[in-house]
Amino acid sequence: MREVNFDGLVGPSHNYAGLSLGNIASASNRGGVSRPREAALQGIAKMRRMIGLGLVQGMLLPHERPNAGWLRALGFSGSDDAVLAAAWKEEPALLANAMSASAMWTANAATVSPAADTQDGKVHLSVANLSTMLHRSTEPAQTERQLRIAFADERYFTVHPALPARLGDEGAANFMRLGASHADKSTEVFVYGRAGQGPFPARQSEAAGRAVARRHGLEPEGQLHVRQADAAIAAGAFHNDVVAVANEHVLFCHEQAFADRDAVFSTLAQRVPGLTILEAPADRVSLDDAISSYLFNCQLVTLPDGSMALVVPSESRENARVWAWLQEIVAGPNPISSIEVIEVRESMRNGGGPACLRLRVALVDRALAAVDQRFIVDEAKCDVLARVVERWWPERIQPHDLGSGDLWHACRAARAHLLEALSFNPGEV
Ligand code: SUG
């Protein structure tokens, strides 16, 4: 069984509209100039690094933007351009929502239970409803369409639609899986926030995690529902993957990640053979350090030789306290033996680190072969992606460009060229 990371390719409309309340990077970069071409190339370079480490890499496609259909449902009428122009004039905030490239953060696309954990032995994927943030609530329909193509083979996969909007669900960003190895039946940990406790919304509900676990057919002892610490959400950890990550039997987290830390750790210790918890003490790495450096928004991956690597954003190296602590972890007696530093600054400025940009799907070889191979990426496909991005992705977007017909047309054309280069039919995804 291997873990495949499906990264979201950064879409051509990537911009800084500051749409996410509680996401400090998004709020503080509001109104800045974005660089979609550079952003997408940074994402492609990240995929190349992962392939270079010997890992299997997948991708999901940027969504269709601008999303004129969504604006039409909100009462704007006429041709696509007329709809967009009217929205820009009357409700520019809605137009910004329709231009968001937020589907790049595929950790929020779905929650995935590998075959080892489910009663019917299939991989179950539940599309996330992303209902808390308006711009993100537009994603599930297109995400579901892609997942139903990528994971169409019903011998191996079951794709479930998004849950009702009242049950806030942000997918795998609030989900961890801990077990002896990827191939072993594991404990799936669903992390939720308590609503109404602080200045920022709790985006993941407990009811959503329980519903996903039921739909996926998890055993009672194969699931754990854990509350995120209110202090973490208030400090800007709008998803659990900003303060914790797990891989096989290793949990790498901040001391203040969970409301009931001791109970969580002791339940995991009973269930997970060889459990290793690597916890950053708050007096070494504060929540603010963790959130600004995104050290826990790393990818913790098992390399072909069985050792583990931490794939961290370069911002983690720029914080001396964080970097010193990471050095101690790598030198210490634990499975993590290397650190890979990667550059995803354009995404980071919207609160999306390495872990946000990928959806993990653990697969046996036969199931991997059954995935629609257009979603699997090797070096040659990275070259194709880079060529399309260099030729068609806008170089920069300033806030007032969001209302420009030229930008709308450029974004549509860029995506159409991408689909063609990857052999998707127009309108297929
Ligand atoms: O939902 N940012 C995303 C970042 C998602 C990060 N994902 C994980 N932690 N897994 C969000 O807040 C910013 C968009 C804007 O402001 O234009 C944004 O949507």
Side-chain angles (χ1 to χ4, degrees):
M1 166 114 47
R2 316 158 203 246
E3 187 182 81
V4 185
N5 289 288
F6 288 81
D7 279 42
L9 181 69
V10 179
S13 67
H14 158 64
N15 70 86
Y16 298 123
L19 300 175
S20 273
L21 176 65
N23 171 340
I24 289 162
S26 156
S28 52
N29 291 304
R30 178 187 191 126
V33 178
S34 67
R35 300 188 172 277
R37 191 181 303 164
E38 195 178 320
L41 292 174
Q42 287 172 348
I44 295 165
K46 169 182 187 282
M47 291 196 255
R48 280 193 208 275
R49 280 284 281 285
M50 304 303 282
I51 294 166
L53 290 173
L55 303 171
V56 184
Q57 185 64 48
M59 67 172 286
L60 293 175
L61 300 162
H63 289 188
E64 198 181 325
R65 296 287 181 268
N67 195 343
W70 180 72
L71 290 170
R72 198 168 275 115
L74 299 183
F76 297 101
S77 56
S79 68
D80 281 1
D81 278 8
V83 162
L84 297 164
W88 179 244
K89 190 159 163 252
E90 292 167 35
E91 301 256 17
L94 288 181
L95 196 268
N97 280 272
M99 283 293 277
S100 174
S102 55
M104 72 177 83
W105 298 297
T106 51
N108 305 117
T111 305
V112 183
S113 296
D117 302 347
T118 64
Q119 276 157 1
D120 65 4
K122 291 188 192 181
V123 180
H124 284 255
L125 302 97
S126 275
V127 176
N129 61 29
L130 291 165
S131 57
T132 305
M133 296 291 153
L134 185 60
H135 66 296
R136 302 220 63 179
S137 70
T138 68
E139 294 174 41
Q142 290 192 50
T143 297
E144 183 172 351
R145 223 187 300 156
Q146 287 193 45
L147 295 184
R148 288 198 184 282
I149 296 171
F151 302 101
D153 192 328
E154 291 176 1
R155 287 172 303 168
Y156 302 104
F157 310 115
T158 302
V159 176
H160 303 266
L163 292 167
R166 279 295 293 273
L167 310 185
D169 178 17
E170 307 255 330
N174 297 310
F175 173 86
M176 302 182 291
R177 183 172 179 256
L178 280 148
S181 78
H182 290 314
D184 287 290
K185 202 182 205 40
S186 299
T187 294
E188 299 196 357
V189 182
F190 297 82
V191 185
Y192 61 90
R194 187 165 58 170
Q197 296 307 305
F200 301 139
R203 300 205 209 172
Q204 184 77 32
S205 67
E206 179 180 4
R210 293 194 185 274
V212 168
R214 248 185 326 266
R215 301 206 292 191
H216 290 191
L218 304 183
E219 311 277 1
E221 66 282 5
Q223 52 184 287
L224 190 61
H225 300 269
V226 166
R227 186 156 71 77
Q228 197 181 358
D230 297 336
I233 299 176
F238 54 94
H239 290 136
N240 174 64
D241 68 3
V242 176
V243 282
V245 64
N247 182 52
E248 298 188 314
H249 59 284
V250 177
L251 172 61
F252 182 65
C253 61
H254 191 271
E255 185 183 354
Q256 291 162 300
F258 309 113
D260 203 351
R261 163 187 175 274
D262 297 349
V264 174
F265 289 0
S266 77
T267 306
L268 289 174
Q270 287 159 23
R271 290 198 197 169
V272 181
L275 178 72
T276 304
I277 298 177
L278 302 170
E279 185 189 42
D283 60 5
R284 292 282 313 272
V285 174
S286 67
L287 269 179
D288 287 347
D289 281 335
I291 289 161
S292 59
S293 71
Y294 258 40
L295 88 148
F296 295 106
N297 200 258
C298 57
Q299 289 180 248
L300 178 54
V301 292
T302 305
L303 301 178
D305 69 3
S307 69
M308 292 189 193
L310 273 179
V311 181
V312 300
S314 55
E315 286 78 357
S316 300
R317 193 170 46 193
E318 288 161 13
N319 180 315
R321 288 177 297 280
V322 165
W323 191 242
W325 187 72
L326 282 174
Q327 297 308 313
E328 284 173 32
I329 291 296
V330 175
N334 66 66
I336 301 177
S337 57
S338 56
I339 300 187
E340 299 284 328
V341 179
I342 60 159
E343 178 66 62
V344 285
R345 218 170 273 277
E346 280 287 313
S347 167
M348 283 285 288
R349 284 162 55 82
N350 252 338
C356 304
L357 285 161
R358 62 94 175 92
L359 180 66
R360 295 192 271 189
V361 187
L363 296 168
V364 296
D365 288 347
R366 265 174 303 144
L368 173 56
V371 173
D372 185 322
Q373 297 297 301
R374 293 175 296 181
F375 292 93
I376 300 295
V377 181
D378 58 10
E379 274 285 348
K381 195 168 284 179
C382 286
D383 294 342
V384 171
L385 295 175
R387 268 200 300 277
V388 174
V389 165
E390 268 157 13
R391 171 85 179 78
W392 298 104
W393 259 233
E395 196 186 339
R396 45 191 262 141
I397 297 180
Q398 306 194 64
H400 65 260
D401 294 331
L402 292 183
S404 141
D406 288 347
L407 180 64
W408 306 336
H409 302 159
C411 288
R412 279 199 213 104
R415 186 171 185 274
H417 286 288
L418 175 73
L419 297 195
E420 193 188 345
L422 297 176
S423 307
F424 287 96
N425 297 319
E428 186 182 358
V429 279

